[in-house]
Structures are given as C-alpha cells and as structure tokens.
Amino acid sequence: MANQILYIASGSAPLSSQFQETLDMLLTGAAFGQPTILWLTEVCLQQLQLAPSDSLAQLPDFGVRCVTDGPAPLAPIPVETLDSQSLQTLRDQCGQVLVF
C-alpha cells in the first residue's frame, strides 16, 4: 500500500479548475498503473450532487478506488463508505497524500 497515492478532495468547489487539474493528474497516474485512491469528503460529494461532473465517470475505468467518510449518496461513480478508523489507516499507509 505504500506505493499508493491518496487524493483527498476536501474543497466545496469540486468543479473548479483546480479540481479538474487534479482529476487530470490523478487519471494520468492511474492510466500508467499508479495505484490511486480518491477520498471524496462529504462536503465535496454534496456539491457534486448539485452539479455532477462527467469526468468522474471515467475513474472506475482507470482503476481508481473512490471512498467517502459519510453515507455514500447517489453519485456518478461507485463510492465506498469507510469509517473514520479505516480512513485514518488508509491515510497512514499510503505512500503519498495530496489534499485539494
């Protein structure tokens, strides 16, 4: 797990240019076989429900695992709900953590 990258989408503006740039970076790494996890916080998921992004639909095709810290809502991608201890363990075990 040490070679995995964990991206944490903590912002409330998931459709901003910064979010899109991060998704591009995430997808590029995943396309080249980099094990990647995207943690969509509850705030981020709430905003995505208001304005869904088609770019998120590509994530499963590239093997990106998506997780969340709250109840998984209806989302354009499959999202796995993890408890706080599991998320902390995930964060501790990943080789790199990027927060945006």
Side-chain angles (χ1 to χ4, degrees):
M1 220 169 166
N3 65 338
Q4 289 186 338
I5 296 177
L6 173 63
Y7 291 82
I8 302 175
S10 62
S12 61
L15 300 178
S16 68
S17 61
Q18 179 187 9
F19 184 82
Q20 291 303 317
E21 288 173 19
T22 303
L23 277 181
D24 290 344
M25 186 171 65
L26 180 152
L27 286 169
T28 300
F32 285 99
Q34 175 64 52
T36 305
I37 302 168
L38 175 59
W39 174 355
L40 294 159
T41 63
E42 193 171 348
V43 171
C44 186
L45 279 172
Q46 288 170 354
Q47 292 300 311
L48 285 171
Q49 284 187 305
L50 297 175
S53 171
D54 291 337
S55 56
L56 292 175
Q58 301 174 47
L59 296 177
D61 296 336
F62 287 89
V64 176
R65 177 181 173 201
C66 297
V67 298
T68 187
D69 54 347
L74 294 175
I77 53 172
V79 180
E80 178 184 351
T81 301
L82 299 177
D83 61 46
S84 59
Q85 181 61 43
S86 296
L87 286 167
Q88 186 60 49
T89 300
L90 182 68
R91 188 175 186 163
D92 292 343
Q93 292 178 349
C94 283
Q96 187 174 9
V97 177
L98 302 167
V99 180
F100 63 100

